[in-house]
Amino acid sequence: AELRALAGAVASGPVPLAFDFSIANSFDYYTGLVFKAFAPGFSSSVASGGRYDAVLANLDVPAVGACGFTDVAAGQYYTSLQGALDVRDGGGDDRPLRVAVPKGSLFGPCVDLLEAAGLPVDDLRDPGRRLVVAAGDVEYVIVRATDAPAFVAWGGADCGVCGTDSLFEADLDLVQLEDLRFGACRFVVAEPAGSAGAADAAFARRGSYRVATKYPRVTQAYFDSVGCPVDILALHGNIELGPIVGMADRIVDITATGTTLRENDLVVVADDVMDCSARFFAGPAAFRSDARIRALGARLRDAVEKG
């Protein structure tokens, strides 16, 4: 109650804030409650603070609190808040809910599931050259799956859909809300079929595996988990060429059927790197302050469970 009153005083008016009191902090001086505050129209928290009694442990003061309204101090609060007040409780049509929809193989199943969840998708099915498709109280932003996390994290969309791999590689502050159970695939480690033992021999000589991949964070995490040093060659095109031309010992890539690997005479040597599927996700601020996102997540979950 005190925090809400303070927020209203600082912003000179009623502030629709959502507080998260479950924050864990590693700083030694926090001794009790730690919080963050979120508001519509922001892609990150607008305030944070906590109790740190130990700072004044030698004085006769029971507690010290801090609350930093950085965006308010910069004069941005009400500018960003315009049009968002009406949607803080999930209502209002002034500001459509903006959903990042992935291009490529995830696009069709994503549109089908959005339709099953009750969203209007007629114009989305055939967007032509449009990158933003307005459909009533929803606005679809059509992006690469690998870019969807950035659009949501930086406020270009309120929520979105992409694969687990894209979320992991982006390494952004996002909340995975639902496993949508389509776009299933897995990461594997593969090497040329005709060079069995060559990678291990190179490892014995060099002290590390040389691996070509489009997914450096996934690759690093896997080799760290099995305790093997790795030199990662980050590529953007046909990574199968890496071991074929002798540039790399192995590759780490996504596969669903294994067809591409077989066509390039590559065999799987490890298939436990990571399992992937499409996920519905949102930014932590939007998730906490916009009830429409939570409602959409529930409808998507129901649609998935009904098959």
Side-chain angles (χ1 to χ4, degrees):
E2 292 175 349
L3 288 171
R4 290 183 181 276
L6 175 60
V10 171
S12 302
V15 182
L17 293 180
F19 285 89
D20 185 345
F21 297 106
S22 65
I23 305 299
N25 200 297
S26 61
F27 294 124
D28 293 339
Y29 53 77
Y30 282 114
T31 58
L33 183 73
V34 180
F35 71 91
K36 285 188 176 181
F38 303 88
F42 286 86
S43 59
S44 60
S45 62
V46 297
S48 63
R51 287 180 59 131
Y52 36 94
D53 303 350
V55 172
L56 298 181
N58 296 325
L59 301 178
D60 187 20
V61 178
V64 175
C67 186
F69 286 83
T70 54
D71 288 311
V72 175
Q76 299 173 4
Y77 189 81
Y78 276 108
T79 300
S80 298
L81 197 58
Q82 292 303 316
L85 290 173
D86 290 337
V87 303
R88 64 184 181 273
D89 296 320
D93 297 325
D94 293 340
R95 178 186 169 284
L97 181 68
R98 185 170 284 178
V99 183
V101 177
K103 297 179 181 179
S105 61
L106 297 181
F107 181 79
C110 179
V111 174
D112 291 340
L113 188 58
L114 290 171
E115 182 177 42
L119 269 63
V121 298
D122 288 345
D123 290 341
L124 178 62
R125 287 195 180 278
D126 186 15
R129 301 179 69 86
R130 288 177 293 175
L131 299 177
V132 178
V133 177
D137 58 357
V138 181
E139 206 168 60
Y140 302 106
V141 184
I142 305 172
V143 300
R144 287 176 178 256
T146 52
D147 290 337
F151 273 84
V152 173
W154 295 105
D158 301 306
C159 54
V161 174
C162 72
T164 317
D165 55 305
S166 296
L167 289 168
F168 190 90
E169 281 295 321
D171 192 26
L172 294 168
D173 186 15
L174 297 166
V175 182
Q176 295 188 43
L177 302 176
E178 301 294 337
D179 182 351
L180 303 181
R181 303 182 195 173
F182 65 82
C185 56
R186 60 196 172 104
F187 277 93
V188 299
V189 182
E191 66 182 18
S195 61
D200 292 331
F203 178 85
R205 182 181 67 255
R206 190 190 307 124
S208 64
Y209 289 108
R210 189 169 292 165
V211 178
T213 186
K214 299 177 185 176
Y215 309 93
R217 290 198 73 250
V218 170
T219 301
Q220 188 69 61
Y222 170 74
F223 279 93
D224 286 348
S225 72
V226 297
C228 285
V230 61
D231 298 323
I232 297 174
L233 282 64
L235 303 175
H236 301 284
N238 299 319
I239 64 172
E240 298 84 6
L241 279 172
I244 291 174
V245 302
M247 188 171 65
D249 306 319
R250 291 172 172 170
I251 68 169
V252 168
D253 201 8
I254 285 180
T255 183
T257 63
T259 300
T260 302
L261 296 175
R262 290 190 295 271
E263 289 176 347
N264 289 279
D265 199 27
L266 295 169
V267 294
V268 174
V269 296
D271 63 359
D272 58 344
V273 178
M274 179 186 288
D275 291 326
C276 297
S277 61
R279 303 298 171 102
F280 175 62
F281 67 98
F287 165 68
R288 289 175 173 88
S289 61
D290 194 335
R292 298 173 303 170
I293 295 175
R294 300 188 292 276
L296 177 56
R299 286 152 58 189
L300 288 170
R301 181 172 62 251
D302 290 343
V304 168
E305 291 175 351
K306 291 176 181 178

